[in-house]
Amino acid sequence: MIANDVTEFLWEDVARGTHSVWAVGYDAEGKEYTTSKVKLSLFEPQLPFNGTPALIPGVIEAEEFDYGGEGNAYHDNDEQNRNKGDRDEGVDMSNTAVGYTQTGEWIEYTVDVQKSGTYEVVATVASGSNGSAFTLYMDNTFIIPGADGTPGGFIDVPNTGSWDDFTTVKASLNKLTKGVHVLKVEITGDWVDLDKLEFNLLEADPDDTNEVMDVAADSKIIPDGVYNAYDANGKFIRSVNVRNAYSNQLKSGYYFFMNTSGKVYPLYINNK
Ligand SMILES: [Ca+2]
Ligand SMILES: [Ca+2]
Ligand SMILES: [Ca+2]
C-alpha cells in the first residue's frame, strides 16, 4: 500500500521547454508503482532583442531574434549554436547572420508596423546549395502571397556558390496592419543563410488609424499607457492601451504586460 505522505521534490536548473514528469514509488514489499505522465512547459517571456520592437519600415537583423527560447521565440532542430555566435541559443548563428537552417525551423521578431499598407521585403541571403527557401508570417498568418493568389507563398534563395556570398531577394507582401506584431521567418527549403530583412513601405492606407484596446485594469496596479500583452507562457498576443476602464476584449487569465520602456507587469485580468 502506498502511504499518503506528501513528498516534495525540488527540481533545480530546469531547461526551458516542455518536460514530461512522472513519479515512481515502491511499497514495503518493493513493488513498483508509476503515475501517469504530466507535461510541464517552462518558458521565459518572449521579448524583443533590443528591448523595444523592431520598426517596420526598417531593417531587421536576422541575428537579433526575440528572447524567449526554444519553442517560444524560435524552433531549431538542436540545442547547440553551430555557427559560434555570441548568443547562447539553439539558433545556429554567427554575430551577423543566421545559418545552418533546416526545413521547419523558425525564428520570431517582435515588430512595430508604423503604417498600415502594402510593403515589400528585401532579404539579404546566401546559400551553398539548391532549393533553399523561406516564408514569412505576421502573427502566424502568411504574408507572402502564393501562386494564383493562394496564401502561403515563399521566397526562393538562389545558390550563391558559397555560404558567405550574400545577395538580395525581394517579394511583395500582403497588407500589413499598423501596430505591434510578431514576425516569423520559417525555413521551407534547407540551408538558407539570412543576414537581414529590409521592409519598405510601398503604399500606405489612406485611413490609417491606430487600433488600440482597453482592458480591465486597476491603475493602482498598472499605470495607464500602451503595452504589449503576453500570455502566461510568454507568447505575444497584441498591443493594448490600458486605461482605468473596463472592457472584455481579453479573456480572463494571467498575462504579462510590457510597456514601451521594457518594464514588465504580471497581471490577472478578470472580465466578468
Ligand atoms: Ca542549433
Ligand atoms: Ca538549425
Ligand atoms: Ca545581420
Side-chain angles (χ1 to χ4, degrees), residues 195-245:
D195 175 0
K196 59 189 171 184
L197 297 167
E198 179 182 330
F199 289 84
N200 300 316
L201 178 63
L202 299 179
E203 191 178 355
D205 283 2
D207 54 345
D208 189 6
T209 54
N210 187 12
E211 278 186 46
V212 294
M213 63 182 293
D214 297 326
V215 297
D218 184 337
S219 60
K220 292 188 190 101
I221 300 170
I222 178 167
D224 292 0
V226 177
Y227 294 80
N228 295 333
Y230 302 82
D231 70 13
N233 288 326
K235 196 76 191 160
F236 175 78
I237 305 167
R238 58 169 297 173
S239 184
V240 294
N241 190 12
V242 173
R243 294 176 210 152
N244 193 12

Side-chain angles (χ1 to χ4, degrees), residues 107-188:
I107 327 167
E108 289 186 339
Y109 305 84
T110 304
V111 297
D112 191 350
V113 177
Q114 303 294 290
K115 286 178 189 295
S116 296
T118 54
Y119 287 79
E120 66 169 10
V121 64
V122 182
T124 302
V125 290
S127 176
S129 68
N130 298 320
S132 302
F134 67 97
T135 191
L136 300 175
Y137 305 76
M138 201 66 88
D139 300 336
N140 284 319
T141 300
F142 286 114
I143 55 170
I144 298 177
D148 308 322
T150 57
F154 52 86
I155 299 177
D156 283 317
V157 174
N159 185 339
T160 56
S162 142
W163 307 106
D164 302 317
D165 257 334
F166 282 85
T167 187
T168 56
V169 287
K170 194 194 276 198
S172 296
L173 304 176
N174 291 334
K175 189 162 290 210
L176 302 185
T177 312
K178 181 172 178 167
V180 175
H181 304 282
V182 171
L183 171 75
K184 178 197 273 185
V185 177
E186 184 182 278
I187 304 302
T188 56

Side-chain angles (χ1 to χ4, degrees), residues 37-55:
K37 290 184 181 178
V38 178
K39 277 202 167 155
L40 295 177
S41 293
L42 296 164
F43 294 117
E44 58 186 78
Q46 183 172 357
L47 297 170
F49 179 76
N50 290 306
T52 54
L55 298 184

Side-chain angles (χ1 to χ4, degrees), residues 1 26-31 33:
M1 187 171 158
Y26 301 90
D27 65 14
E29 283 78 48
K31 185 169 178 344
Y33 296 85

Side-chain angles (χ1 to χ4, degrees), residues 75-78 80 82 90-92 98-102 105 191:
H75 166 63
D76 196 274
N77 285 344
D78 57 43
Q80 70 186 113
R82 292 173 177 273
V91 174
D92 306 305
V98 168
Y100 214 91
T101 60
Q102 291 174 274
E105 292 184 334
W191 317 130

